[in-house]
Amino acid sequence: MKKQASVWGATKGEDGQPTDEYGFGVLVYGIAMGGDDYIARYLDRKLEEVTRHMESVTKPTAGEHTQTLWAFIYYCFTQETQYWAQNVPPRLSGPFLRKFDEILVKTTATCFGVSPDTLYGDTLAAKRLRLPTRMTGCGVRDMTDVMHAAFLGAWAPAMRALTDKIGLNGIHTPGFLHDHMQELAGPAAPIGADDDLRHLAAKGSHL
């Protein structure tokens, strides 16, 4: 598993002294895990990267190559934040996705040769912009509208591997979390051998 640790002192204050301004955490396959400040800072940096990427394509294509720009918007730009929407809890990814959506709408408006206010101001245009293509829309989804579904959609199949399973033949197969339940529950929540995730909240888990 590829990890990148956040070491205290890596960030310097104005006086040149180490600071933990952005908290602590690790990167696991491109997903920040740790304190809220650490995750927020990581997503801010990612938003800057995504913005630069979109601008580098928009500037040379806007005006003369709008079909090319639209292809980038639909096939590439709308997918830029899917990974983090699926793997970062919505309460943490929400601000990041909201800012991204503003940039995406601005880019789309540039492609159409109108202002973002025009897209937002026209009720029909705003609805058509957000509808998926199978419903004759543009397919430029509002990520803050779909972030909960995206996160749960990614979490649901993962739970099959994390939790215990009992097959049709009655055989019990331990999941990945089977041997880590006490760690997840915390010392203040002693659990029995037959307890599972459903019991953690009721027993004061810090999960």
Side-chain angles (χ1 to χ4, degrees):
M1 183 178 294
K2 184 179 180 181
K3 297 182 180 180
Q4 178 179 335
S6 173
V7 181
W8 185 86
T11 303
K12 307 293 183 182
E14 293 182 1
D15 58 359
Q17 297 301 309
T19 175
D20 60 348
E21 178 182 359
Y22 301 119
F24 299 89
V26 296
L27 290 182
V28 181
Y29 291 103
I31 297 299
M33 302 179 67
D36 289 2
D37 290 343
Y38 176 82
I39 296 174
R41 174 58 178 169
Y42 177 78
L43 291 177
D44 283 344
R45 293 203 310 270
K46 283 299 175 183
L47 183 65
E48 292 172 0
E49 293 179 14
V50 169
T51 302
R52 287 196 298 269
H53 175 214
M54 294 172 67
E55 289 178 345
S56 70
V57 174
T58 303
K59 289 180 180 179
T61 56
E64 298 183 4
H65 306 285
T66 53
Q67 188 171 358
T68 299
L69 178 56
W70 175 248
F72 271 102
I73 290 172
Y74 181 74
Y75 291 106
C76 302
F77 297 165
T78 56
Q79 310 301 315
E80 288 276 14
T81 59
Q82 286 282 352
Y83 186 60
W84 295 293
Q86 292 173 334
N87 292 282
V88 179
R91 72 176 183 85
L92 297 172
S93 66
F96 161 73
L97 295 173
R98 192 170 297 108
K99 294 174 185 176
F100 166 77
D101 186 63
E102 293 174 357
I103 298 169
L104 183 60
V105 170
K106 180 180 178 181
T107 304
T108 303
T110 299
C111 180
F112 292 166
V114 299
S115 69
D117 290 339
T118 300
L119 290 180
Y120 285 126
D122 187 314
T123 304
L124 179 60
K127 289 183 178 180
R128 290 292 294 274
L129 178 69
R130 300 305 191 184
L131 284 175
T133 54
R134 61 183 174 81
M135 299 177 68
T136 67
C138 292
V140 181
R141 308 304 301 275
D142 185 339
M143 290 304 299
T144 57
D145 281 346
V146 300
M147 62 183 180
H148 294 90
F151 183 72
L152 290 175
W155 179 242
M159 286 298 293
R160 297 191 185 101
L162 295 175
T163 56
D164 295 1
K165 296 182 288 292
I166 298 179
L168 295 176
N169 55 6
I171 296 178
H172 179 271
T173 304
F176 176 79
L177 293 180
H178 183 82
D179 296 327
H180 304 279
M181 296 299 292
Q182 187 60 68
E183 298 173 40
L184 291 171
I191 61 176
D194 296 327
D195 283 349
D196 58 25
L197 291 175
R198 292 171 297 176
H199 298 84
L200 295 185
K203 293 195 174 186
S205 166
H206 61 224
L207 180 65

